[in-house]
Amino acid sequence: MRIMLVAFGTAGDVFPLIGVGRALGKRGHEVHVASLPDHQSSVERAGLISHVLRGIPGIKGLPDFYHPRRSMRVVAERLLIPALEPIYELLSTLNPAEWTVFANSQAYGARIAQEKYGILLTTFIITPFALRSVQRMPVTPGIACPQWMPLVVRRAFLGVATRLWDRELAPALNAFRKTLGLEAVKDIWYDWCLSPHRVIGLFPEWYAPNPGDWPAQFRYGGFTVFDEGVSQEVPAELAGPGNPLVVFAAGSAGQAAADFFQTAITASASQSWRAVLLTGEPVNSSYTPLPANVFRYSYVPLSQLLRLSSLVVHHGGTGTTSLALAAGVPQVVVPFGHDQFDNAVRIEQLGVGRRVLKSADLSRQLRMTIAQILQDHSLSTRCRALAPSAAVDASLTAVCEMIEADVRSGRIGRG
């Protein structure tokens, strides 16, 4: 197959698709990846052909990215709407008879190209939070609607979310559709964005059981996150014997990450564990001087570091969550926003970690929770038992086989 993967957004949005792309490439397919300039080097290191999407401001480090209300406008204006035309124009150059397209659910230009040209499109869903369900209500930041609320209230709650997204997305998206002779659409975030032929969730069923009202074309894949730089060695000061390793990671969260790491330093100072801060950014002088038991790195491959670790404390991103599950390491989730609150609840329900919500005494809460988990051997046992079910290699094989079977059978048709 000749494959175009469209993956943009944060690293958590992009790396699972890079993992799929690399696996497809190893199976003999020609794989291209269209993404933002920030991810070009990651795409190329995975051995894939990169197409850089230009003119998209992006959302990295923006202070409102995690705001419960303003984040909608930020994501729409700086990512989703600017990406419409670049993605559509790229895909409009492909011969639909020769190419198959895979895109994450916010690649609206791919969905429009499917309607306009009949391209073969599969939608990848990175997190179950992106699938609407009144049977299993998502856990949201800010205002929440508990599962025990009456069905009519749950439907109204999700209806409001749908209308708020349409308010931000529909004017520009439908204006572009009009120039192409296409009718206006609505329910963009939850419904229209999904390919009517196939939707694959890049998470396993045991992590997010189907509540019964997800789209009929949905299928499970499994965790597929790509941990770039996997050949990089773990620093000797971490690989050697010593007190338990506690890893702190926060994705590409800007100021929220800086606050998180400062809290991690305060919580870990003079404690009986070695704290490892994976900042994802060049060293920030505001973190210095560090206590003797705290180490800071821009990047160390989590897939290797977690094998040596006793605990990982993170923001609840799907990538970090899945790597920790695969490594059999207990988790403490401190969610910042978006799907991270939902992921934190799933981790607790699986019995493999705890969630700690932000508060004025967060450092004290973290210190106490870490100490408790390091002494709770039953939690580690549960994590190790579940780890084989989260193996990335097995998931990648399953996703690739599903994709190949879809294309062979013609079940992915023209939109």
Side-chain angles (χ1 to χ4, degrees), residues 327-371:
V329 177
Q331 307 179 46
V332 174
V333 180
V334 185
F336 299 161
H338 305 300
D339 64 327
Q340 297 163 12
F341 287 81
D342 196 70
N343 289 334
V345 169
R346 293 181 187 277
I347 288 302
E348 278 198 326
Q349 291 174 341
L350 286 169
V352 295
R354 311 267 179 82
R355 56 175 167 161
V356 176
L357 302 180
K358 289 185 179 181
S359 67
D361 64 344
L362 179 58
S363 59
R364 183 183 67 84
Q365 290 186 65
L366 271 183
R367 186 184 305 115
M368 293 175 57
T369 304
I370 292 169

Side-chain angles (χ1 to χ4, degrees), residues 65-362:
F65 178 58
Y66 285 116
H67 192 278
R69 297 183 305 275
R70 294 195 293 269
S71 61
M72 281 186 173
R73 179 157 295 179
V74 167
V75 171
E77 292 183 350
R78 295 186 58 89
L79 184 66
L80 305 182
I81 297 304
L84 265 175
E85 292 192 44
I87 293 172
Y88 175 81
E89 290 172 0
L90 172 65
L91 299 186
S92 67
T93 65
L94 307 182
N95 183 345
E98 298 178 359
W99 288 82
T100 302
V101 177
F102 304 96
N104 51 18
S105 58
Q106 280 72 55
Y108 300 145
R111 185 70 177 86
I112 293 174
Q114 181 189 41
E115 291 181 283
K116 185 70 175 178
Y117 299 110
I119 66 170
L120 310 181
L121 175 67
T122 290
T123 300
F124 282 136
I125 298 291
I126 306 302
T127 168
F129 184 78
L131 293 169
R132 180 170 54 203
S133 171
V134 296
Q135 299 302 328
R136 196 282 187 188
M137 291 296 292
V139 181
T140 58
I143 300 173
C145 182
Q147 188 66 41
W148 52 261
M149 294 294 286
L151 184 61
V152 65
V153 175
R154 285 178 269 151
R155 284 177 175 157
F157 180 86
L158 291 175
V160 170
T162 298
R163 289 191 293 274
L164 287 174
W165 274 115
D166 278 352
R167 185 180 68 182
E168 301 296 340
L169 298 169
L173 187 145
N174 285 327
F176 180 59
R177 290 175 62 85
K178 186 175 181 180
T179 67
L180 302 174
L182 297 174
E183 295 182 355
V185 293
K186 60 182 180 179
D187 198 356
I188 295 164
W189 180 264
Y190 288 112
D191 184 60
W192 171 82
C193 67
L194 304 176
S195 168
H197 303 293
R198 178 68 72 228
V199 175
I200 298 178
L202 297 183
F203 46 85
E205 185 173 7
W206 55 261
Y207 180 75
N210 191 329
D213 56 352
W214 282 353
Q217 70 271 31
F218 173 83
R219 298 292 184 273
Y220 287 101
F223 293 129
T224 63
V225 67
F226 165 63
D227 186 22
E228 66 171 330
V230 291
S231 62
Q232 179 180 329
E233 292 185 1
V234 174
E237 59 190 353
L238 304 181
N243 288 342
L245 285 179
V246 177
V247 177
F248 293 85
S252 51
Q255 183 58 44
D259 296 341
F260 169 81
F261 288 123
Q262 193 59 57
T263 300
I265 294 170
T266 303
S268 300
S270 303
Q271 298 302 307
S272 60
W273 59 81
R274 291 174 291 166
V276 184
L277 314 182
L278 300 183
T279 65
E281 298 289 351
V283 172
N284 187 326
S285 59
S286 66
Y287 299 151
T288 56
L290 294 176
N293 66 319
V294 178
F295 304 87
R296 179 184 56 242
Y297 301 92
S298 174
Y299 176 79
V300 178
L302 269 177
S303 59
Q304 295 188 39
L305 181 58
L306 290 179
R307 297 182 196 138
L308 308 173
S309 304
S310 299
L311 176 66
V312 56
V313 183
H314 63 99
H315 60 311
T318 302
T320 308
T321 298
S322 62
L323 286 171
L325 287 168
V329 177
Q331 307 179 46
V332 174
V333 180
V334 185
F336 299 161
H338 305 300
D339 64 327
Q340 297 163 12
F341 287 81
D342 196 70
N343 289 334
V345 169
R346 293 181 187 277
I347 288 302
E348 278 198 326
Q349 291 174 341
L350 286 169
V352 295
R354 311 267 179 82
R355 56 175 167 161
V356 176
L357 302 180
K358 289 185 179 181
S359 67
D361 64 344
L362 179 58

